[in-house]
Amino acid sequence: MSTLARARCTLGAHPSALDTALAAAVLVCMVAGSFVDPHGPEGVSWGLRTPDALSLALMTVGAAALAFRRRAPLVVLGVTGCVSVVESITGEPRAPVVMSAVIALFTVAATTDRPTTWRVGLLTMTLLTGAAMLAGPLPWYAQENLAVFAWTGIGATAGDAVRSRRAFVQAIRDRAEKAERTREEEARRRVAEERLRIARDLHDVVAHHIALVNVQAGVASHVMDKRPDQAKQALAHVREASRSALDELRATVGLLRQSGDPEAPTEPAPGLARLDELVGTFHHAGLHVEVARADQGTELPAAVDLAAYRIIQEALTNVRKHAGQQAKAEVSVVRVGPNIEVTVLDDGTGEGDAADASADSGGHGLLGMRERVTAVRGTLTTGPRYGGGFRVHAILPVRSRTDAAEDPV
């Protein structure tokens, strides 16, 4: 860092020292200017004239007042204005005491609002210029008198420009800080939404596969002694279901990996393209499921496709857990206008049907389905069927809101 830069940093950290240095510099300039003879035989020249004691005292008072310009700018302007008027009336020859008033007016304009600057600036210019024109021995239109008007106007204008620039810079900083806070809040909101989505996926995966493992393990235990071949087949299904559960858990939890972590998941999220595979796992568990589809050629957004798959998975898991051993389920996926309708029906007649899922598990299954449907701006209807059983009906938009907004009119 250069010497000048270090000096600016030091003075910026100590404003009182900066004001004192400015006051001393202004006093030196006024004293030096008082030796200039503006009416020499060859124009403005250095002369041997010396200001009188009153002028020196007024210059000292005006410069000393500038040391307090940040604390009381209006008071300092009043003091420097008064000594400038007195110098204009009594000074012979005149000394440039008005320099201190110009600095004080600049400070007022830089630290107050624009209306105050206009009022104070006009009053100061009028008083100082009027005193110089009326009380001085020179003609009222002399260059020195017009210079008083010009310099006071420049001081007010420069101060107002400095204040405007400070306000502009502060506004930019405020907007930048607000934008940063907004980005942080948006990032936190998206993280929360992502965690909720991952939690739903984990719930769906674990509930589905654990239910299948539980059923197949019960079958194997029941037929172990009498039909070992069937028990062996049930255990194979247990192994397959557990391996599938681990794979899906690995893929789901893999979404939480940070950049640079090894073995990031590459398998796409499940969707309706894997519906037959999903139904097959329930067939192996002993649940009879019929599937009817009328959505051929329909391309769904990834979020809608995943939501439809998870809704069917959760509904069938609830049927297997709560609808009884002899229950049957029907799954239909139908394209209806701009929506796709997913329906899962069962005819469960056991003591616990799918409607009791809320009581057994705190309602997380149905709640998870409802949250998924709400996330893609769809609707979900659940409830018992007339004559027994349970019904899950979801209406999901074929296109997301973003896709619809991008279509040309």
Side-chain angles (χ1 to χ4, degrees), residues 268-295:
L272 293 179
R274 296 176 55 183
L275 181 58
D276 293 338
E277 178 185 344
L278 175 66
V279 172
T281 60
F282 285 99
H283 282 159
H284 293 316
L287 177 64
H288 180 73
V289 183
E290 295 182 359
V291 179
R293 299 189 64 174
D295 63 328

PDB file of all heavy atoms in Angstrom, residues 268-295:
ATOM      1  N   PRO A 268     -31.844 -43.393 -13.214  1.00  0.00           N
ATOM      2  CA  PRO A 268     -32.908 -42.386 -13.208  1.00  0.00           C
ATOM      3  C   PRO A 268     -33.968 -42.696 -12.163  1.00  0.00           C
ATOM      4  O   PRO A 268     -34.121 -43.843 -11.712  1.00  0.00           O
ATOM      5  CB  PRO A 268     -33.470 -42.467 -14.637  1.00  0.00           C
ATOM      6  CG  PRO A 268     -33.146 -43.853 -15.100  1.00  0.00           C
ATOM      7  CD  PRO A 268     -31.836 -44.193 -14.451  1.00  0.00           C
ATOM      8  N   ALA A 269     -34.704 -41.657 -11.766  1.00  0.00           N
ATOM      9  CA  ALA A 269     -35.782 -41.850 -10.800  1.00  0.00           C
ATOM     10  C   ALA A 269     -36.859 -42.736 -11.407  1.00  0.00           C
ATOM     11  O   ALA A 269     -37.128 -42.693 -12.610  1.00  0.00           O
ATOM     12  CB  ALA A 269     -36.367 -40.501 -10.399  1.00  0.00           C
ATOM     13  N   PRO A 270     -37.503 -43.581 -10.588  1.00  0.00           N
ATOM     14  CA  PRO A 270     -38.543 -44.468 -11.122  1.00  0.00           C
ATOM     15  C   PRO A 270     -39.744 -43.680 -11.615  1.00  0.00           C
ATOM     16  O   PRO A 270     -40.027 -42.577 -11.152  1.00  0.00           O
ATOM     17  CB  PRO A 270     -38.895 -45.349  -9.916  1.00  0.00           C
ATOM     18  CG  PRO A 270     -38.523 -44.536  -8.728  1.00  0.00           C
ATOM     19  CD  PRO A 270     -37.322 -43.739  -9.146  1.00  0.00           C
ATOM     20  N   GLY A 271     -40.460 -44.282 -12.565  1.00  0.00           N
ATOM     21  CA  GLY A 271     -41.662 -43.671 -13.109  1.00  0.00           C
ATOM     22  C   GLY A 271     -42.622 -44.737 -13.580  1.00  0.00           C
ATOM     23  O   GLY A 271     -42.457 -45.943 -13.301  1.00  0.00           O
ATOM     24  N   LEU A 272     -43.637 -44.328 -14.308  1.00  0.00           N
ATOM     25  CA  LEU A 272     -44.648 -45.271 -14.763  1.00  0.00           C
ATOM     26  C   LEU A 272     -44.089 -46.287 -15.745  1.00  0.00           C
ATOM     27  O   LEU A 272     -44.726 -47.328 -15.985  1.00  0.00           O
ATOM     28  CB  LEU A 272     -45.812 -44.503 -15.399  1.00  0.00           C
ATOM     29  CG  LEU A 272     -46.641 -43.642 -14.435  1.00  0.00           C
ATOM     30  CD1 LEU A 272     -47.742 -42.919 -15.189  1.00  0.00           C
ATOM     31  CD2 LEU A 272     -47.235 -44.492 -13.313  1.00  0.00           C
ATOM     32  N   ALA A 273     -42.941 -46.037 -16.334  1.00  0.00           N
ATOM     33  CA  ALA A 273     -42.318 -47.029 -17.206  1.00  0.00           C
ATOM     34  C   ALA A 273     -41.951 -48.295 -16.433  1.00  0.00           C
ATOM     35  O   ALA A 273     -41.815 -49.371 -17.025  1.00  0.00           O
ATOM     36  CB  ALA A 273     -41.085 -46.436 -17.870  1.00  0.00           C
ATOM     37  N   ARG A 274     -41.820 -48.194 -15.131  1.00  0.00           N
ATOM     38  CA  ARG A 274     -41.486 -49.355 -14.292  1.00  0.00           C
ATOM     39  C   ARG A 274     -42.696 -49.886 -13.534  1.00  0.00           C
ATOM     40  O   ARG A 274     -42.557 -50.583 -12.540  1.00  0.00           O
ATOM     41  CB  ARG A 274     -40.388 -48.964 -13.300  1.00  0.00           C
ATOM     42  CG  ARG A 274     -39.074 -48.594 -13.957  1.00  0.00           C
ATOM     43  CD  ARG A 274     -38.040 -48.111 -12.955  1.00  0.00           C
ATOM     44  NE  ARG A 274     -37.820 -49.080 -11.886  1.00  0.00           N
ATOM     45  CZ  ARG A 274     -37.011 -48.872 -10.846  1.00  0.00           C
ATOM     46  NH1 ARG A 274     -36.365 -47.705 -10.764  1.00  0.00           N
ATOM     47  NH2 ARG A 274     -36.853 -49.787  -9.925  1.00  0.00           N
ATOM     48  N   LEU A 275     -43.886 -49.525 -14.010  1.00  0.00           N
ATOM     49  CA  LEU A 275     -45.103 -49.964 -13.311  1.00  0.00           C
ATOM     50  C   LEU A 275     -45.243 -51.479 -13.324  1.00  0.00           C
ATOM     51  O   LEU A 275     -45.618 -52.093 -12.307  1.00  0.00           O
ATOM     52  CB  LEU A 275     -46.322 -49.302 -13.953  1.00  0.00           C
ATOM     53  CG  LEU A 275     -47.675 -49.650 -13.309  1.00  0.00           C
ATOM     54  CD1 LEU A 275     -47.684 -49.281 -11.835  1.00  0.00           C
ATOM     55  CD2 LEU A 275     -48.804 -48.937 -14.038  1.00  0.00           C
ATOM     56  N   ASP A 276     -44.960 -52.116 -14.453  1.00  0.00           N
ATOM     57  CA  ASP A 276     -45.076 -53.579 -14.517  1.00  0.00           C
ATOM     58  C   ASP A 276     -44.124 -54.247 -13.532  1.00  0.00           C
ATOM     59  O   ASP A 276     -44.475 -55.238 -12.869  1.00  0.00           O
ATOM     60  CB  ASP A 276     -44.784 -54.063 -15.941  1.00  0.00           C
ATOM     61  CG  ASP A 276     -45.851 -53.618 -16.932  1.00  0.00           C
ATOM     62  OD1 ASP A 276     -46.977 -53.320 -16.478  1.00  0.00           O
ATOM     63  OD2 ASP A 276     -45.558 -53.553 -18.139  1.00  0.00           O
ATOM     64  N   GLU A 277     -42.914 -53.710 -13.422  1.00  0.00           N
ATOM     65  CA  GLU A 277     -41.952 -54.257 -12.459  1.00  0.00           C
ATOM     66  C   GLU A 277     -42.454 -54.099 -11.031  1.00  0.00           C
ATOM     67  O   GLU A 277     -42.325 -55.000 -10.200  1.00  0.00           O
ATOM     68  CB  GLU A 277     -40.605 -53.552 -12.639  1.00  0.00           C
ATOM     69  CG  GLU A 277     -39.534 -53.997 -11.665  1.00  0.00           C
ATOM     70  CD  GLU A 277     -38.264 -53.180 -11.822  1.00  0.00           C
ATOM     71  OE1 GLU A 277     -38.106 -52.501 -12.855  1.00  0.00           O
ATOM     72  OE2 GLU A 277     -37.426 -53.233 -10.890  1.00  0.00           O
ATOM     73  N   LEU A 278     -43.053 -52.927 -10.745  1.00  0.00           N
ATOM     74  CA  LEU A 278     -43.601 -52.697  -9.408  1.00  0.00           C
ATOM     75  C   LEU A 278     -44.731 -53.662  -9.100  1.00  0.00           C
ATOM     76  O   LEU A 278     -44.780 -54.262  -8.017  1.00  0.00           O
ATOM     77  CB  LEU A 278     -44.097 -51.251  -9.306  1.00  0.00           C
ATOM     78  CG  LEU A 278     -44.810 -50.858  -8.013  1.00  0.00           C
ATOM     79  CD1 LEU A 278     -43.836 -50.912  -6.840  1.00  0.00           C
ATOM     80  CD2 LEU A 278     -45.416 -49.461  -8.137  1.00  0.00           C
ATOM     81  N   VAL A 279     -45.642 -53.832 -10.054  1.00  0.00           N
ATOM     82  CA  VAL A 279     -46.771 -54.746  -9.837  1.00  0.00           C
ATOM     83  C   VAL A 279     -46.272 -56.171  -9.662  1.00  0.00           C
ATOM     84  O   VAL A 279     -46.823 -56.951  -8.872  1.00  0.00           O
ATOM     85  CB  VAL A 279     -47.762 -54.625 -11.006  1.00  0.00           C
ATOM     86  CG1 VAL A 279     -48.844 -55.704 -10.918  1.00  0.00           C
ATOM     87  CG2 VAL A 279     -48.408 -53.244 -11.009  1.00  0.00           C
ATOM     88  N   GLY A 280     -45.201 -56.522 -10.384  1.00  0.00           N
ATOM     89  CA  GLY A 280     -44.663 -57.867 -10.252  1.00  0.00           C
ATOM     90  C   GLY A 280     -44.183 -58.175  -8.851  1.00  0.00           C
ATOM     91  O   GLY A 280     -44.330 -59.312  -8.358  1.00  0.00           O
ATOM     92  N   THR A 281     -43.601 -57.188  -8.165  1.00  0.00           N
ATOM     93  CA  THR A 281     -43.155 -57.433  -6.799  1.00  0.00           C
ATOM     94  C   THR A 281     -44.334 -57.727  -5.873  1.00  0.00           C
ATOM     95  O   THR A 281     -44.226 -58.552  -4.956  1.00  0.00           O
ATOM     96  CB  THR A 281     -42.390 -56.216  -6.263  1.00  0.00           C
ATOM     97  OG1 THR A 281     -43.249 -55.068  -6.268  1.00  0.00           O
ATOM     98  CG2 THR A 281     -41.173 -55.919  -7.128  1.00  0.00           C
ATOM     99  N   PHE A 282     -45.476 -57.093  -6.128  1.00  0.00           N
ATOM    100  CA  PHE A 282     -46.648 -57.383  -5.308  1.00  0.00           C
ATOM    101  C   PHE A 282     -47.254 -58.738  -5.669  1.00  0.00           C
ATOM    102  O   PHE A 282     -47.804 -59.435  -4.811  1.00  0.00           O
ATOM    103  CB  PHE A 282     -47.688 -56.271  -5.471  1.00  0.00           C
ATOM    104  CG  PHE A 282     -47.342 -55.009  -4.746  1.00  0.00           C
ATOM    105  CD1 PHE A 282     -46.762 -53.942  -5.398  1.00  0.00           C
ATOM    106  CD2 PHE A 282     -47.568 -54.904  -3.378  1.00  0.00           C
ATOM    107  CE1 PHE A 282     -46.439 -52.783  -4.726  1.00  0.00           C
ATOM    108  CE2 PHE A 282     -47.246 -53.745  -2.689  1.00  0.00           C
ATOM    109  CZ  PHE A 282     -46.671 -52.683  -3.371  1.00  0.00           C
ATOM    110  N   HIS A 283     -47.160 -59.132  -6.941  1.00  0.00           N
ATOM    111  CA  HIS A 283     -47.623 -60.465  -7.321  1.00  0.00           C
ATOM    112  C   HIS A 283     -46.834 -61.537  -6.577  1.00  0.00           C
ATOM    113  O   HIS A 283     -47.404 -62.523  -6.080  1.00  0.00           O
ATOM    114  CB  HIS A 283     -47.471 -60.661  -8.836  1.00  0.00           C
ATOM    115  CG  HIS A 283     -48.550 -59.973  -9.621  1.00  0.00           C
ATOM    116  ND1 HIS A 283     -48.406 -59.655 -10.957  1.00  0.00           N
ATOM    117  CD2 HIS A 283     -49.795 -59.540  -9.281  1.00  0.00           C
ATOM    118  CE1 HIS A 283     -49.506 -59.055 -11.397  1.00  0.00           C
ATOM    119  NE2 HIS A 283     -50.352 -58.964 -10.380  1.00  0.00           N
ATOM    120  N   HIS A 284     -45.528 -61.347  -6.485  1.00  0.00           N
ATOM    121  CA  HIS A 284     -44.693 -62.302  -5.753  1.00  0.00           C
ATOM    122  C   HIS A 284     -45.056 -62.347  -4.272  1.00  0.00           C
ATOM    123  O   HIS A 284     -44.863 -63.374  -3.620  1.00  0.00           O
ATOM    124  CB  HIS A 284     -43.209 -61.937  -5.908  1.00  0.00           C
ATOM    125  CG  HIS A 284     -42.689 -62.110  -7.302  1.00  0.00           C
ATOM    126  ND1 HIS A 284     -42.970 -63.212  -8.086  1.00  0.00           N
ATOM    127  CD2 HIS A 284     -41.902 -61.296  -8.070  1.00  0.00           C
ATOM    128  CE1 HIS A 284     -42.386 -63.087  -9.263  1.00  0.00           C
ATOM    129  NE2 HIS A 284     -41.720 -61.929  -9.283  1.00  0.00           N
ATOM    130  N   ALA A 285     -45.552 -61.237  -3.750  1.00  0.00           N
ATOM    131  CA  ALA A 285     -45.939 -61.188  -2.338  1.00  0.00           C
ATOM    132  C   ALA A 285     -47.330 -61.753  -2.094  1.00  0.00           C
ATOM    133  O   ALA A 285     -47.791 -61.780  -0.954  1.00  0.00           O
ATOM    134  CB  ALA A 285     -45.885 -59.751  -1.834  1.00  0.00           C
ATOM    135  N   GLY A 286     -48.021 -62.183  -3.148  1.00  0.00           N
ATOM    136  CA  GLY A 286     -49.326 -62.789  -2.983  1.00  0.00           C
ATOM    137  C   GLY A 286     -50.501 -61.851  -3.162  1.00  0.00           C
ATOM    138  O   GLY A 286     -51.644 -62.248  -2.890  1.00  0.00           O
ATOM    139  N   LEU A 287     -50.268 -60.619  -3.620  1.00  0.00           N
ATOM    140  CA  LEU A 287     -51.359 -59.682  -3.834  1.00  0.00           C
ATOM    141  C   LEU A 287     -51.740 -59.695  -5.303  1.00  0.00           C
ATOM    142  O   LEU A 287     -50.891 -59.495  -6.180  1.00  0.00           O
ATOM    143  CB  LEU A 287     -50.937 -58.270  -3.419  1.00  0.00           C
ATOM    144  CG  LEU A 287     -51.967 -57.150  -3.665  1.00  0.00           C
ATOM    145  CD1 LEU A 287     -53.215 -57.368  -2.833  1.00  0.00           C
ATOM    146  CD2 LEU A 287     -51.362 -55.788  -3.368  1.00  0.00           C
ATOM    147  N   HIS A 288     -53.011 -59.926  -5.570  1.00  0.00           N
ATOM    148  CA  HIS A 288     -53.493 -59.941  -6.941  1.00  0.00           C
ATOM    149  C   HIS A 288     -53.789 -58.494  -7.371  1.00  0.00           C
ATOM    150  O   HIS A 288     -54.617 -57.817  -6.762  1.00  0.00           O
ATOM    151  CB  HIS A 288     -54.763 -60.796  -7.059  1.00  0.00           C
ATOM    152  CG  HIS A 288     -55.314 -60.848  -8.454  1.00  0.00           C
ATOM    153  ND1 HIS A 288     -54.714 -61.561  -9.473  1.00  0.00           N
ATOM    154  CD2 HIS A 288     -56.421 -60.261  -9.001  1.00  0.00           C
ATOM    155  CE1 HIS A 288     -55.411 -61.416 -10.583  1.00  0.00           C
ATOM    156  NE2 HIS A 288     -56.459 -60.632 -10.320  1.00  0.00           N
ATOM    157  N   VAL A 289     -53.088 -58.061  -8.422  1.00  0.00           N
ATOM    158  CA  VAL A 289     -53.227 -56.693  -8.902  1.00  0.00           C
ATOM    159  C   VAL A 289     -53.543 -56.722 -10.386  1.00  0.00           C
ATOM    160  O   VAL A 289     -52.856 -57.394 -11.169  1.00  0.00           O
ATOM    161  CB  VAL A 289     -51.940 -55.868  -8.661  1.00  0.00           C
ATOM    162  CG1 VAL A 289     -52.134 -54.426  -9.112  1.00  0.00           C
ATOM    163  CG2 VAL A 289     -51.536 -55.914  -7.196  1.00  0.00           C
ATOM    164  N   GLU A 290     -54.575 -56.002 -10.758  1.00  0.00           N
ATOM    165  CA  GLU A 290     -54.924 -55.827 -12.159  1.00  0.00           C
ATOM    166  C   GLU A 290     -54.595 -54.388 -12.574  1.00  0.00           C
ATOM    167  O   GLU A 290     -54.872 -53.443 -11.835  1.00  0.00           O
ATOM    168  CB  GLU A 290     -56.413 -56.108 -12.388  1.00  0.00           C
ATOM    169  CG  GLU A 290     -56.802 -57.553 -12.112  1.00  0.00           C
ATOM    170  CD  GLU A 290     -58.272 -57.798 -12.392  1.00  0.00           C
ATOM    171  OE1 GLU A 290     -58.971 -56.821 -12.774  1.00  0.00           O
ATOM    172  OE2 GLU A 290     -58.724 -58.937 -12.226  1.00  0.00           O
ATOM    173  N   VAL A 291     -54.034 -54.272 -13.769  1.00  0.00           N
ATOM    174  CA  VAL A 291     -53.587 -52.963 -14.257  1.00  0.00           C
ATOM    175  C   VAL A 291     -54.307 -52.649 -15.555  1.00  0.00           C
ATOM    176  O   VAL A 291     -54.389 -53.499 -16.450  1.00  0.00           O
ATOM    177  CB  VAL A 291     -52.062 -52.934 -14.471  1.00  0.00           C
ATOM    178  CG1 VAL A 291     -51.623 -51.572 -14.999  1.00  0.00           C
ATOM    179  CG2 VAL A 291     -51.335 -53.257 -13.177  1.00  0.00           C
ATOM    180  N   ALA A 292     -54.834 -51.435 -15.627  1.00  0.00           N
ATOM    181  CA  ALA A 292     -55.446 -50.927 -16.853  1.00  0.00           C
ATOM    182  C   ALA A 292     -54.836 -49.576 -17.163  1.00  0.00           C
ATOM    183  O   ALA A 292     -54.835 -48.683 -16.312  1.00  0.00           O
ATOM    184  CB  ALA A 292     -56.965 -50.818 -16.696  1.00  0.00           C
ATOM    185  N   ARG A 293     -54.304 -49.437 -18.381  1.00  0.00           N
ATOM    186  CA  ARG A 293     -53.646 -48.187 -18.750  1.00  0.00           C
ATOM    187  C   ARG A 293     -54.219 -47.652 -20.060  1.00  0.00           C
ATOM    188  O   ARG A 293     -54.471 -48.410 -21.001  1.00  0.00           O
ATOM    189  CB  ARG A 293     -52.136 -48.383 -18.906  1.00  0.00           C
ATOM    190  CG  ARG A 293     -51.446 -48.841 -17.633  1.00  0.00           C
ATOM    191  CD  ARG A 293     -49.944 -48.802 -17.760  1.00  0.00           C
ATOM    192  NE  ARG A 293     -49.446 -47.452 -17.959  1.00  0.00           N
ATOM    193  CZ  ARG A 293     -48.157 -47.135 -17.985  1.00  0.00           C
ATOM    194  NH1 ARG A 293     -47.237 -48.086 -17.814  1.00  0.00           N
ATOM    195  NH2 ARG A 293     -47.778 -45.891 -18.178  1.00  0.00           N
ATOM    196  N   ALA A 294     -54.449 -46.343 -20.072  1.00  0.00           N
ATOM    197  CA  ALA A 294     -54.894 -45.651 -21.280  1.00  0.00           C
ATOM    198  C   ALA A 294     -54.153 -44.330 -21.387  1.00  0.00           C
ATOM    199  O   ALA A 294     -54.739 -43.268 -21.522  1.00  0.00           O
ATOM    200  CB  ALA A 294     -56.402 -45.432 -21.252  1.00  0.00           C
ATOM    201  N   ASP A 295     -52.821 -44.429 -21.268  1.00  0.00           N
ATOM    202  CA  ASP A 295     -51.981 -43.231 -21.324  1.00  0.00           C
ATOM    203  C   ASP A 295     -50.852 -43.394 -22.325  1.00  0.00           C
ATOM    204  O   ASP A 295     -49.803 -42.773 -22.196  1.00  0.00           O
ATOM    205  CB  ASP A 295     -51.394 -42.941 -19.939  1.00  0.00           C
ATOM    206  CG  ASP A 295     -50.486 -44.061 -19.453  1.00  0.00           C
ATOM    207  OD1 ASP A 295     -50.745 -45.230 -19.793  1.00  0.00           O
ATOM    208  OD2 ASP A 295     -49.507 -43.757 -18.739  1.00  0.00           O
TER     209      ASP A 295
END
